[in-house]
Amino acid sequence: MRTRILVGTLTALAVALSSAHAASLSIGDAQLSTGSPTASLTVTLNEAVIGRNVTVNYTTTACTAFAGVDYTQQSNQLTFTSGQMYRTVDIPLNTAPGVGTREFRVVLSNPTHATLGTSSGRVWVRHALGARVPARGDYAGNGAAPDGRSDLVFHEQIECGGPTCEPGDRDRTCPTSGTGTCPGQNFTSTLYTPNGWTLLTPSDFDGNGVRDLLWQYDGTHELATRLAGQAQVETPPAAPPVTVDPNAPEFFGTGDFNGDGRADLARWNATTRVVSFAVAPGTPPEDHAHPFPQPVVGTPGSTPIGTADLSGDGLPDLLWRNDGSGQFRLQVLSLGGTGPAFVDQAMQPTLLAGQFWQLQAWGDFDGNGTEDLVWQNSASTKMVVWLMDHNVRICGDFLSPDSWPGELVGPR
């Protein structure tokens, strides 16, 4: 009797089983203090591999931080020997003074004897902040002094069911971290507000260097401003009259449009297709020594969606989007010459297709002096932040976690 051993079949089965249970490689993030000489990121195997080496390539990729300026470009290979589960990637940093917080990434590729899990690690390099325009909606850093970066504002409706429960809605601010995320939903402040009012955005409407609050009444779209002075006032006024001109222009953004040192309102009339500018309610009237720009007439089929500073000069610009194609049009504000005026400038990317993605907030979330854009998908409610270098998107990241309390309302 002869016995035949099917070596090929058994070997294939062994390889298939090995592949099905292959170990997975992941890389972590690194957030660094000012002056750190090295960024260290840990690469982890989720289980030990016995009897053979695991290798993986890594390379640095620019985002808002750049090789040769903020860090040293690296491309190399890591080797995990039999049983080894942790290795470290060290990236030399440039510790010279810079602006704000800048980001680059370390990307894994081409693993052997393992698969890829989290393949991209993010590094935030914090430079010392110099003198610069205060960030829009910079509530506070760690619940205390402003940290030079914009914070996210959410409006949340809550139920009140006990003697210790605050009445009405609440607005919560999220301190941004690197790409504008709020780790663990660690909010710096919670503002409880009467029912019917929504906090639109914080800004300095009277030019005293202290943030004020702009509110809108849900039933009538009436606007009201609470000026802070030295003691912060968080509550809005009583409900306004129920009659409001239905043809009145609607608020869509803030900014110092005439260079007088205080934030103004940008308003859009969808009927006449005109953008106009006005001082905030309850603030001194327009200073005629600092006139507003002339009203801007929109092109057919386009809507103004934001007033982000995409030129990095501390002045708000107008960002338009075509209702059908998603094509962008950027108009940069200039205060020189004969008075304030808007000049067309290219935008990269040139469009964002898809009706579900809407611009919900903008501010300087990484502290580099240029405002960034936060988009939200109305179908999935997921949000993504575009980190901008002037009018060019450098990179984009989904905000984490996926679930947020209430509605994102600012800053804007």
Side-chain angles (χ1 to χ4, degrees):
M1 178 183 295
R2 294 183 179 180
T3 301
R4 184 173 60 181
I5 300 176
L6 301 176
V7 176
T9 303
L10 294 176
T11 302
L13 177 60
V15 171
L17 290 173
S18 175
S19 298
H21 298 283
S24 177
L25 284 160
S26 292
I27 187 170
D29 298 331
Q31 191 165 166
L32 308 170
S33 301
T34 303
S36 298
T38 304
S40 296
L41 300 88
T42 301
V43 181
T44 304
L45 270 170
N46 68 337
E47 62 183 67
V49 175
I50 306 300
R52 56 187 175 184
N53 292 342
V54 172
T55 64
V56 65
N57 296 337
Y58 68 88
T59 187
T60 51
T61 302
C63 185
T64 52
F66 296 96
V69 177
D70 301 290
Y71 65 94
T72 302
Q73 174 70 31
Q74 299 280 296
S75 292
N76 213 324
Q77 186 178 79
L78 284 179
T79 299
F80 292 76
T81 58
S82 176
Q84 192 173 20
M85 296 178 63
Y86 302 97
R87 291 295 311 271
T88 299
V89 175
D90 293 321
I91 308 298
L93 303 179
N94 179 6
T95 58
V99 178
T101 302
R102 297 181 177 179
E103 177 188 343
F104 69 94
R105 300 178 185 182
V106 179
V107 180
L108 304 181
S109 63
N110 300 322
T112 63
H113 303 134
T115 61
L116 286 180
T118 302
S119 61
S120 179
R122 297 179 294 183
V123 181
W124 295 286
V125 183
R126 297 186 184 279
H127 291 292
L129 288 172
R132 55 183 295 269
V133 177
R136 181 194 304 266
D138 181 5
Y139 265 82
N142 299 321
D147 62 359
R149 294 180 294 157
S150 301
D151 303 313
L152 299 176
V153 182
F154 293 85
H155 181 79
E156 181 183 15
Q157 292 186 335
I158 60 173
E159 298 293 333
C160 200
T164 61
C165 178
E166 298 283 354
D169 303 345
R170 63 182 175 185
D171 300 282
R172 310 174 76 186
T173 60
C174 165
T176 57
S177 172
T179 57
T181 63
C182 190
Q185 300 188 12
N186 179 27
F187 292 88
T188 59
S189 62
T190 298
L191 318 177
Y192 290 93
T193 68
N195 286 320
W197 285 97
T198 296
L199 177 61
L200 291 182
T201 191
S203 201
D204 183 8
F205 294 109
D206 55 0
N208 69 344
V210 182
R211 65 172 173 84
D212 311 306
L213 302 175
L214 180 68
W215 307 83
Q216 184 174 62
Y217 192 67
D218 300 338
T220 63
H221 295 280
E222 185 84 0
L223 298 181
T225 308
R226 277 301 189 187
L227 303 179
Q230 296 304 312
Q232 184 63 53
V233 179
E234 305 289 14
T235 56
V242 295
T243 55
V244 172
D245 181 2
N247 296 317
E250 294 188 4
F251 161 84
F252 72 93
T254 66
D256 183 5
F257 289 97
N258 59 353
D260 66 353
R262 54 182 178 155
D264 312 301
L265 307 183
R267 305 177 301 175
W268 167 243
N269 189 313
T271 302
T272 61
R273 307 198 62 77
V274 171
V275 172
S276 58
F277 311 96
V279 298
T283 62
E286 178 186 355
D287 181 358
H288 293 291
H290 298 85
F292 283 125
Q294 291 296 312
V296 179
V297 180
T299 56
S302 291
T303 301
I305 60 173
T307 58
D309 174 19
L310 296 179
S311 55
D313 59 0
L315 298 174
D317 306 313
L318 290 182
L319 181 59
W320 299 75
R321 188 182 182 196
N322 186 279
D323 301 334
S325 67
Q327 190 86 21
F328 293 127
R329 178 190 180 195
L330 176 62
Q331 292 184 298
V332 174
L333 178 61
S334 171
L335 298 182
T338 58
F342 290 95
V343 179
D344 282 359
Q345 191 173 102
M347 171 85 173
Q348 295 183 25
T350 59
L351 60 83
L352 175 59
Q355 60 179 338
F356 295 116
W357 286 105
Q358 303 295 324
L359 185 60
Q360 290 295 99
W362 48 92
D364 187 4
F365 299 113
D366 57 1
N368 72 340
T370 301
E371 293 196 319
D372 311 302
L373 307 176
V374 179
W375 303 87
Q376 185 169 32
N377 189 298
S378 59
S380 67
T381 72
K382 288 189 176 183
M383 288 173 281
V384 66
V385 60
W386 285 6
L387 297 179
M388 305 294 293
D389 183 7
H390 294 80
N391 59 329
V392 178
R393 182 189 67 187
I394 302 301
C395 61
D397 268 313
F398 280 97
L399 296 189
S400 175
D402 289 338
S403 174
W404 296 80
E407 175 188 1
L408 176 62
V409 296
R412 43 177 82 142

